[in-house]
Amino acid sequence: MRTHLLGLAAFVALGLAYPVLFPSALTIAITILLFVGWATAWDVLGGWAGQVSLGHAAFVGLGAYFVAIGVTEYGLAPWWSALLGMAVAAALAFAWGWLTFGLRGPYFTLSTIAFAEILRLVAINEGWLTGGATGVFIMTLPEPFGLDLFDRQTQYWLALGFAVLVIGIVVALSRGRFGYALRAVREDEDAAMAAGIDPKRTKLKAFMLSGALTALGGGLYGIVLSFLEPHVMFYLLLSVQIALTAIIGGRGTIWGPAAGAMVLIGSGEVFRTTFAEANLLIYGVLILVIVLFAPRGLVGEATRRAIRRRYAKRAQS
Amino acid sequence: MPSALRAEGLTVRFGGNVAVSDVSLALAPGEILGLIGPNGAGKTTLFNALTGYVTPESGRVSLFDRDITRLAPHERARAGCGRTFQTERPFEELTVLENVLVAAFLHEPRRSGAERLARETLEQVGLGDRADQPAGDLNLARRRRLELAKALATRPRVIFLDEVMAGLNPPALREMIAFVSELSRKGLAVLMVEHIMEAIVELSDHVIVMASGAKIAEGAPEAVMRDERVIEAYLGTD
Ligand SMILES: Nc1ncnc2c1ncn2[C@@H]1O[C@H](COP(=O)(O)OP(=O)(O)O)[C@@H](O)[C@H]1O
Ligand SMILES: [Mg+2]
């Protein structure tokens, strides 16, 4: 626990120093921080509870659209719009989980692709609300507490706050009853039930928390882009990227998804600028290397080794 | 004497195959009931029906006079049914302590209380020095004890032990026998499936013999062992 709080403090310190050191590279940092938050939120369900979702773009889109429409059409404050988006994300996660958590194995995963696709179609077809396929522009934003939400610097702080919030929540739950219920359900549902854990309820709670937090980041993403279209917001590739980030970094670890975001999104950006056309190939090779040599993900392998080493040392002495 | 566990007319069918056929039993607090029978007799299936993992076609189960027939496994665990699995199933990615912690959280919602209970339970089963080892690395005898610790940490009132002694070497077996005897002395009702007759004879207050899904004999251990139907059931199918 203490190490994780120290880690969180180091992360915050790094986040505070970054804009001073690299004031002209805020956009990439915002993207990385959004992915830190999304991948960590994804991992509550995908890593800790072991239910892999390939539809988390649905929550990103939901959050973004709620903020955009709430602010431009209904004059709601961005915070309230974001909260509303989170509540709706949690409600939809509950409904979808209720229908699909009976499915074992890959079927839940496949169903989440359909989930995001359904929302994309709704966004395209309900043009009166969402601007249809053309999308929605966020032209003006209120300035709560004198904050200019179009300012990159402001957006950076909000993204940092989002990432820290999500990691903080995972640190808090990792040691407690709910965190262990999640892991038990992932490992073996029958054995979890023998310990009095209700697998379906546990997975539903994880899905709701994961969806709501992802939607919060989505709301911020909408503001950062200030232009929303269904093909971007509910994009399967975005869902895959979020999942991959967490998997590469290490599912079910506190720092894995964050590390994954820094490695994947960071290197993706570097590759794109230096290797141009070849970037996807190199990106693919990087992912392959990690999957082959660190199947538990970067942080996953490291912690497992640390646990073994710590135990071996204690057993010798 | 109130019964801790009572089953009446339990029947479980898998397709056309009757795995448990009209079995009834009763168990008092502090009592040890031994369940024996050749492989495939339906012992594990009976356990699963009592603990909620399979749905019986007919029959009733009650725990301290509360009808639990329709409760899901996790609800029965909360009501006081603790169980081990015949093929041990530790949460492999968790440490030994964390495995027991999962169970300890059932009645100790706070981390500090749950951790205290988990450590006490590990000491009790003799795994105190293994707390930080990954559970997947334990050998068979220790996995068995971990199963037991997980069941005990839920603070059960009835405990179901499915072949926890199989494959243990003589000293480990003696320890396990002493341990189970101690549990019953503390008032826990114990239902155990066991192939090791030494353990059955020494521990059981009462024995039920199953063959082909049905109860074919019951009574005091020595008497049951001499029963001709029992001898025949064992020789006939093996
Ligand atoms: N899940 C299941 N599906 C179908 N048949 C099963 C299942 N579980 C057990 N059986 C069958 O039920 C019978 C009893 O098995 P079991 O309860 O495991 O016996 P025991 O524990 O006494 O060795 C066997 O014929 C077995 O093949
Ligand atoms: Mg069996």
Side-chain angles (χ1 to χ4, degrees), chain B residues 14 17 19 38-46 86:
Chain B
F14 293 118
N17 176 13
N39 273 328
K43 305 179 298 292
T44 297
T45 306
L46 176 60
Q86 183 177 351

Side-chain angles (χ1 to χ4, degrees), chain A residues 33-56:
Chain A
L33 286 171
L34 283 174
F35 270 92
V36 168
W38 285 332
T40 307
W42 177 92
D43 202 43
V44 170
L45 179 71
W48 295 81
Q51 309 297 309
V52 171
S53 155
L54 287 180
H56 261 52

Side-chain angles (χ1 to χ4, degrees), chain B residues 100-181:
Chain B
V100 185
L101 205 49
V102 167
F105 272 121
L106 180 59
H107 291 298
E108 293 284 351
R110 303 191 59 83
R111 168 79 189 214
S112 52
E115 188 165 334
R116 198 174 319 121
L117 172 58
R119 286 192 190 279
E120 277 168 20
T121 314
L122 281 176
E123 288 298 334
Q124 240 186 319
V125 301
L127 284 178
D129 57 336
R130 301 273 160 177
D132 298 319
Q133 191 170 8
D137 294 357
L138 291 182
N139 67 17
L140 178 80
R142 294 199 180 99
R143 279 170 178 247
R144 289 279 159 70
R145 292 199 231 167
L146 178 58
E147 276 291 307
L148 201 55
K150 281 162 74 177
L152 287 173
T154 64
R155 298 220 170 104
R157 297 196 286 173
V158 178
I159 193 163
F160 297 77
L161 307 175
D162 198 350
E163 299 200 28
V164 290
M165 316 222 183
L168 298 186
N169 62 27
L173 179 65
R174 293 309 315 166
E175 272 180 48
M176 194 60 109
I177 289 176
F179 190 75
V180 172
S181 159

Side-chain angles (χ1 to χ4, degrees), chain B residues 41-228:
Chain B
K43 305 179 298 292
T44 297
T45 306
L46 176 60
F47 262 34
N48 285 338
L50 293 170
T51 51
Y53 285 81
V54 303
T55 314
E57 185 177 87
S58 58
R60 276 166 31 91
V61 184
S62 58
L63 191 77
F64 288 92
D65 296 328
R66 172 184 175 199
D67 189 332
I68 59 167
T69 313
R70 305 207 173 284
L71 296 191
H74 62 269
E75 293 168 317
R76 296 192 200 199
R78 287 175 199 171
C81 292
R83 73 164 293 172
T84 65
F85 289 90
Q86 183 177 351
T87 39
E88 337 71 52
R89 358 183 24 158
F91 304 117
E92 306 244 353
E93 295 282 310
L94 303 188
T95 65
V96 169
L97 176 68
E98 288 176 321
N99 264 268
V100 185
L101 205 49
V102 167
F105 272 121
L106 180 59
H107 291 298
E108 293 284 351
R110 303 191 59 83
R111 168 79 189 214
S112 52
E115 188 165 334
R116 198 174 319 121
L117 172 58
R119 286 192 190 279
E120 277 168 20
T121 314
L122 281 176
E123 288 298 334
Q124 240 186 319
V125 301
L127 284 178
D129 57 336
R130 301 273 160 177
D132 298 319
Q133 191 170 8
D137 294 357
L138 291 182
N139 67 17
L140 178 80
R142 294 199 180 99
R143 279 170 178 247
R144 289 279 159 70
R145 292 199 231 167
L146 178 58
E147 276 291 307
L148 201 55
K150 281 162 74 177
L152 287 173
T154 64
R155 298 220 170 104
R157 297 196 286 173
V158 178
I159 193 163
F160 297 77
L161 307 175
D162 198 350
E163 299 200 28
V164 290
M165 316 222 183
L168 298 186
N169 62 27
L173 179 65
R174 293 309 315 166
E175 272 180 48
M176 194 60 109
I177 289 176
F179 190 75
V180 172
S181 159
E182 179 63 27
L183 291 181
S184 83
R185 228 180 347 259
K186 286 181 192 153
L188 203 59
V190 180
L191 181 53
M192 62 173 195
V193 167
E194 208 49 71
H195 278 307
I196 301 188
M197 288 307 149
E198 179 188 350
I200 287 287
V201 171
E202 197 167 330
L203 287 171
S204 309
D205 298 303
H206 194 82
V207 173
I208 288 181
V209 188
M210 285 179 76
S212 309
K215 182 160 86 176
I216 58 164
E218 68 178 309
E222 291 82 0
V224 164
M225 298 299 168
R226 284 192 300 268
D227 191 306
E228 281 185 13

